Amino acid sequence: MDQSRKIVLWAAAILLPAAFYFSVITELPHVFVITVILLVFSSLKSKGWRVSDRSVIYLTGLANET
């Protein structure tokens, strides 16, 4: 397993429980689904998927608007 996929797995181990609890408490189940889809997409690419802080802010705002 290459280094980028290992990093994605560690990020998933940290993000998925937090995203799950956040989606349950705020009653926004699509936040968890979007997180899972983005992690799967990131693990499929050979070099991973680089995300800036601005992208995370915009995606969070978009998820809250839907």
Side-chain angles (χ1 to χ4, degrees):
M1 181 178 300
D2 61 353
Q3 187 67 21
S4 64
R5 287 200 175 101
K6 221 184 258 191
I7 292 172
V8 170
L9 288 176
W10 281 109
I14 295 169
L15 287 176
L16 287 179
F20 176 74
Y21 291 132
F22 178 78
S23 64
V24 168
I25 290 171
T26 60
E27 297 177 358
L28 298 170
H30 59 281
V31 172
F32 181 72
V33 172
I34 290 170
T35 305
V36 169
I37 289 171
L38 289 175
L39 284 169
V40 167
F41 179 70
S42 180
S43 67
L44 292 177
K45 292 185 69 176
S46 62
K47 291 186 177 180
W49 186 42
R50 296 182 187 259
V51 179
S52 68
D53 57 345
R54 189 175 292 174
S55 299
V56 172
I57 292 169
Y58 290 155
L59 285 173
T60 304
L62 180 67
N64 287 330
E65 292 296 323
T66 56

